[in-house]
Amino acid sequence: MDRVSAFDEPLKKLLGGATAKVMAEHLGLHTVGDLLHHYPRRYEERGRLTALTDLPLDEHVTVVAQVADARVMVFNNGRGKRLEVTLTDGHGRLQLVFFGHGVHKPHKDLLPGRRAMFAGKVSVFNRKMQLAHPTYQLLDAESTDEAGATEAVDAFAGRLLPIYPACKQLDSWRIAKAVDAVLPSAQEAVDPLPPALREGRGFTALPEALLKIHRPQTKADVAAARDRLKWDEAFVLQVALARRRYADTQLPAVARRPVPGGLLDAFDATLPFTLTDGQLKVSKEIFDDLATEHPMHRLLQGEVGSGKTMVALRAMLTTVDAGGQAAMLAPTEVLAQQHHRSITEMMGELAEGGMLGGSERGTKVVLLTGSMGMAARRQALLDLVTGEAGIVIGTHALIEDKVKFHELGLVVVDEQHRFGVEQRDALRSKGKQPPHLLVMTATPIPRTVAMTVFGDLETSVLDQLPAGRSPIASHVVPAKDKPHFLSRAWERVREEAENGHQAYVVCPRIGDDEDEAAGKKGKKAAEDEADKRPPLAVLDIAEQLAKGPLTGLRIEVLHGRMHPDDKDDVMRRFAAGQVDVLVATTVIEVGVNVPNATAMVIMDADRFGVSQLHQLRGRVGRGSAPGLCLLVSEAHEASPARARLSAVASTLDGFELSRIDLEERREGDVLGQAQSGVRSSLRVLSVIDDEEVIAAAREEAVTVVAADPDLEHLPELRLVLDALLDKEREEYLDKG
């Protein structure tokens, strides 16, 4: 068997169809390589019993414990039998229960003093923790099934017991048995690390690392294996990104240099304020990139309201000055319309090039979205292909085949995490030569995520808020414990309205009986009783407020399934001050700019993620009056959901919150958002904890790729990389 195919062997050949099917469907494991990279979550020491005192309720657990006593209870006049077994670990006790015909075998096996591994779902009965009908494997030699027990002892004797990420259909020790069957193939592992790097850093050989992580003799074995495997993951990923960056630097692009006395200078002259030092610094980084004959690939991070749009607009004007066109891609129609409106307002007569009353130095700024009328759409397409429009703002509609540009010079992508790599490429391919690319995000990204998820982009950070932005006070409103706090919240909204200001009320759901993804997308707060009812809905809350605490105020609703014209109409009237309270879903999360809005009430705030709450809160305090954000929740005071809300209320630092958010979420979610398939390749590397490993791997990757871009002298690395990237490509296409 050759070196690659051992790892590519389908599991059903070695394990049998039924086991392979469960592994594929429930654990995403298809090949020998997949299973060898399915590492234990933790290890139990053979000589030490698991703590039974802090088992998580409703979770599938694996415990190692000793039988304290076992008794058969008879009920229903002798027709029913129940076996109750009490386990102990010297500190706590756990009840097992078996019913009906299922009592015979455990009654013979589970005698007092016996030790075994048990797996099942933890529930509570009569205020006692219990496992109902757990599966088990005996760990001592006095078992009735002598052969089975001896095998179990041999497998685990004197070692750490690996506890694998399991599922209801497949227990940890059955996975361990399957790993035993494929472990000899670990010798065939293709080592991606260049020998000089491996020796220089003193790493264990890869086959040995795989053996040690699955069947360690000591804790030192586990540590050595994890260090090695972490490095593999970080290094292969960073090489993929470094090669992408390198390939980008080899592409030709038209240099777009500022033109004195052009559109940019005319625009800067009309600004009623001075740009912040941060805006000037980031603008210089962007202008330097635009002036080169290779495409810029830059990520612009900036807090809500830090003036990213201003920086992006100045880059677009420079591109137009230099004879190119600029396209801004927004994730939603509402946001595209917002950007179009704010950019045309900022530019004034400069946005009316070729139109009556427009400046002769101006250009045309057009909007292109999927729901536009045919006539307007035809005109926009015509303006693009003739070059009449220097700037276009649109949604995914810009990526369609029939959209043609006269000379696309710059692409600005807003809210990058909603666009995959392939979509960026599709838009880039519309230029005669690859256009420059600027990606903007208002979600602060920890450095490690910037190096992994966005590792093919250079990064600029805007961390200064422009003068004139007001502070935002945030408070948690415990609606269940203290209903009078909620009443006071509505009084505050009324006070803001009476002072001539406006307010947002945000709900997780729309509420017109559809199967709403919006409610499901929010933070799953299973720890809270609040989850027993559906999330609060825009339509219901708007009606309650209009009839109750906010009666007499002008209340409107806004959500994603309204007709685009209706959405636009509501936003226009809200921006013009003709609406006091806007009850909305998260469609207002990004890009909505109404300086007169000073208050926001977020209902069921525990249903949203930390970064999302921070984004929403950024919609208030955009003018000269201070902002107020009230996080309404029925979550219990001691719950993790409430702790999360308190964290949001206690700081306005987006980077601090992004760290909390990252620790909270499985990092797969973070990685899966932007880079197709990367999630599948990270097993032991933690984007949260392994900043040093990632940074060091990035440096090594850059050195390797600079010296050997095609990895001709590193065939093993290229082999592993090709396998990873094929899988990524495949997964991306599967997702459609």
Side-chain angles (χ1 to χ4, degrees):
M1 190 184 287
D2 71 53
R3 308 175 73 190
V4 196
S5 60
F7 268 45
D8 291 339
E9 192 76 42
L11 285 171
K12 58 172 176 273
K13 276 197 177 176
L14 284 103
L15 304 179
T19 305
K21 188 167 185 259
V22 172
M23 286 194 166
E25 285 177 7
H26 297 279
L27 297 170
L29 308 175
H30 304 273
T31 64
V32 167
D34 290 343
L35 183 53
L36 285 173
H37 290 304
H38 185 72
Y39 306 132
R41 176 178 284 149
R42 58 189 173 84
Y43 303 85
E44 289 295 347
E45 286 181 66
R46 232 189 102 57
R48 206 184 67 200
L49 295 171
T50 316
L52 299 178
T53 43
D54 46 326
L55 292 176
L57 196 56
D58 286 337
E59 276 193 33
H60 201 76
V61 298
T62 301
V63 297
V64 177
Q66 197 161 17
V67 177
D69 64 61
R71 57 204 169 281
V72 175
M73 319 291 279
V74 179
F75 56 93
N76 242 359
N77 291 330
R79 288 197 296 274
K81 276 187 182 170
R82 181 173 76 238
L83 171 66
E84 290 181 359
V85 178
T86 305
L87 302 182
T88 179
D89 64 354
H91 303 290
R93 288 168 104 72
L94 177 66
Q95 201 79 28
L96 309 181
V97 61
F98 301 85
F99 292 102
H101 299 303
V103 306
H104 303 305
K105 188 168 185 334
H107 191 208
K108 280 197 302 186
D109 289 346
L110 302 179
L111 303 173
R114 281 274 164 85
R115 291 179 72 251
M117 271 198 290
F118 301 89
K121 194 174 176 185
V122 183
S123 57
V124 168
F125 181 71
N126 275 346
R127 291 194 293 209
K128 281 185 189 160
M129 290 276 202
Q130 74 165 24
L131 301 181
H133 277 283
T135 50
Y136 61 89
Q137 184 184 22
L138 297 169
L139 293 180
D140 51 19
E142 301 125 23
S143 148
T144 46
D145 176 3
E146 206 63 48
T150 310
E151 190 183 312
V153 172
D154 286 350
F156 300 114
R159 292 191 191 167
L160 297 163
L161 302 182
I163 306 294
Y164 286 91
C167 60
K168 188 177 166 189
Q169 295 78 2
L170 204 61
D171 305 308
S172 171
W173 56 82
R174 283 171 62 202
I175 295 172
K177 242 180 189 149
V179 168
D180 285 337
V182 301
L183 212 45
S185 300
Q187 296 308 319
E188 315 274 333
V190 176
D191 196 328
L193 293 192
L197 168 58
R198 188 173 70 237
E199 287 151 25
R201 289 187 175 266
F203 285 130
T204 311
L206 184 55
E208 194 187 331
L210 288 169
L211 201 62
K212 280 181 170 175
I213 199 150
H214 288 292
R215 298 292 172 264
Q217 301 283 352
T218 62
K219 286 180 180 174
D221 283 354
V222 177
R226 288 182 77 86
D227 284 350
R228 165 68 217 250
L229 295 166
K230 263 181 198 181
W231 246 91
D232 281 17
E233 288 178 7
F235 181 70
V236 171
L237 177 60
Q238 291 302 336
V239 168
L241 294 167
R243 287 185 80 196
R244 191 180 166 90
R245 287 195 302 274
Y246 179 83
D248 286 342
T249 64
Q250 302 309 297
L251 294 171
V254 178
R256 308 286 176 183
R257 297 184 180 87
V259 175
L263 196 51
L264 177 65
D265 286 353
F267 173 72
D268 282 352
T270 65
L271 288 179
F273 51 80
T274 50
L275 296 168
T276 65
D277 292 345
Q279 285 173 318
L280 291 168
K281 175 177 133 310
V282 169
S283 287
K284 183 183 182 312
E285 291 171 350
I286 292 170
F287 291 161
D288 288 350
D289 283 0
L290 288 175
T292 63
E293 292 179 353
H294 302 295
M296 163 172 80
H297 292 102
R298 192 164 281 281
L299 173 69
L300 172 55
Q301 293 188 57
E303 282 282 19
V304 172
S306 58
K308 290 184 303 299
T309 310
M310 173 63 70
V311 168
L313 176 55
R314 294 181 76 242
M316 292 199 283
L317 296 175
T318 299
T319 304
V320 175
D321 275 343
Q325 289 168 294
M328 183 184 242
L329 190 57
T332 64
E333 294 211 351
V334 168
L335 194 48
Q337 288 160 348
Q338 288 285 326
H339 278 315
H340 181 252
R341 190 177 309 127
S342 65
I343 282 173
T344 48
E345 281 169 9
M346 279 153 83
M347 286 176 64
E349 61 174 20
L350 294 172
E352 294 163 7
M355 295 154 75
L356 209 59
S359 161
E360 76 275 8
R361 275 187 299 187
T363 189
K364 207 169 182 183
V365 179
V366 298
L367 176 69
L368 186 66
T369 62
S371 67
M372 280 169 77
M374 278 310 291
R377 188 179 172 78
R378 235 191 328 265
Q379 184 59 53
L381 291 171
L382 188 65
D383 287 341
L384 285 180
V385 79
T386 60
E388 186 80 17
I391 294 177
V392 58
I393 293 149
T395 53
H396 283 75
L398 283 176
I399 301 175
E400 289 171 12
D401 289 345
K402 51 180 167 289
V403 180
K404 302 274 187 282
F405 290 85
H406 177 64
E407 187 173 341
L408 182 60
L410 170 67
V411 174
V412 178
V413 179
D414 192 16
E415 288 308 306
Q416 156 66 16
H417 59 274
R418 302 173 191 227
F419 290 99
V421 171
E422 265 74 2
Q423 287 156 308
R424 278 184 354 213
D425 289 349
L427 193 56
R428 283 209 312 229
S429 68
K430 292 192 173 290
K432 293 187 180 75
Q433 287 195 331
H436 297 282
L437 175 71
L438 178 66
V439 165
M440 303 197 298
T441 177
T443 310
I445 301 165
R447 180 168 169 255
T448 47
V449 180
M451 284 192 291
T452 45
V453 178
F454 303 105
D456 58 331
L457 302 168
E458 300 300 329
T459 304
S460 293
V461 179
L462 264 181
D463 47 13
Q464 232 180 329
L465 287 187
R469 286 301 301 255
S470 302
I472 305 170
S474 307
H475 304 284
V476 179
V477 177
K480 203 167 192 173
D481 310 343
K482 299 178 178 170
H484 59 285
F485 276 34
L486 183 57
S487 310
R488 176 68 190 127
W490 300 128
E491 281 171 26
R492 284 291 291 111
V493 170
R494 185 178 282 283
E495 286 163 16
E496 290 299 309
E498 283 166 358
N499 288 332
H501 295 302
Q502 293 157 278
Y504 299 98
V505 177
V506 182
C507 305
R509 208 164 59 99
I510 299 170
D512 47 6
D513 296 335
E514 80 301 347
D515 177 25
E516 289 173 311
K520 298 190 184 84
K521 185 182 75 175
K523 199 72 192 169
K524 184 85 182 96
E527 69 264 1
D528 303 332
E529 289 174 30
D531 236 35
K532 290 178 183 164
R533 61 160 172 72
L536 294 171
V538 165
L539 301 176
D540 303 340
I541 293 292
E543 191 181 336
Q544 287 167 27
L545 293 176
K547 289 179 178 168
L550 302 184
T551 182
L553 295 184
R554 298 167 297 177
I555 297 174
E556 292 278 359
V557 299
L558 180 71
H559 58 74
R561 277 203 316 284
M562 286 164 64
H563 187 279
D565 291 350
D566 296 339
K567 281 193 273 200
D568 207 34
D569 177 55
V570 169
M571 272 319 304
R572 270 182 199 286
R573 288 189 292 114
F574 188 65
Q578 295 160 12
V579 174
D580 298 314
V581 179
L582 187 63
V583 184
T585 55
T586 54
V587 290
I588 59 137
E589 180 182 349
V590 282
V592 176
N593 186 18
V594 180
N596 191 45
T598 52
M600 175 176 285
V601 181
I602 303 177
M603 308 303 291
D604 277 344
D606 47 280
R607 310 255 177 168
F608 299 101
V610 171
S611 290
Q612 202 172 23
L613 291 170
H614 182 59
Q615 288 278 74
L616 286 165
R617 169 171 62 185
R619 300 300 114 213
V620 295
R622 299 176 79 86
S624 52
L628 173 68
C629 179
L630 301 173
L631 306 167
V632 179
S633 168
E634 292 189 2
H636 188 271
E637 194 169 359
S639 67
R642 272 287 283 282
R644 189 167 66 238
L645 296 182
S646 299
V648 175
S650 67
T651 179
L652 292 172
D653 179 344
F655 283 91
E656 176 56 33
L657 290 174
S658 73
R659 260 196 305 281
I660 294 169
D661 198 25
L662 190 57
E663 283 165 15
E664 267 247 319
R665 291 166 17 195
R666 286 195 352 271
E667 46 212 25
D669 297 345
V670 181
L671 292 170
Q673 281 170 340
Q675 296 293 83
S676 51
V678 169
R679 168 182 6 208
S680 65
S681 63
L682 294 198
R683 311 277 181 177
V684 282
L685 185 71
S686 162
V687 177
I688 304 162
D689 304 321
D690 295 325
E691 183 169 337
E692 283 170 27
V693 175
I694 293 168
R698 182 177 170 120
E699 268 178 47
E700 293 276 13
V702 169
T703 308
V704 164
V705 171
D708 183 4
D710 292 326
L711 308 179
E712 283 174 19
H713 305 296
L714 297 167
E716 290 84 2
L717 175 55
R718 201 164 71 199
L719 215 56
V720 171
L721 208 56
D722 289 346
L724 172 70
L725 296 179
D726 280 354
K727 191 166 177 181
E728 282 192 26
R729 191 64 86 197
E730 201 172 80
E731 287 194 15
Y732 188 84
L733 296 173
D734 283 349
K735 287 181 203 162

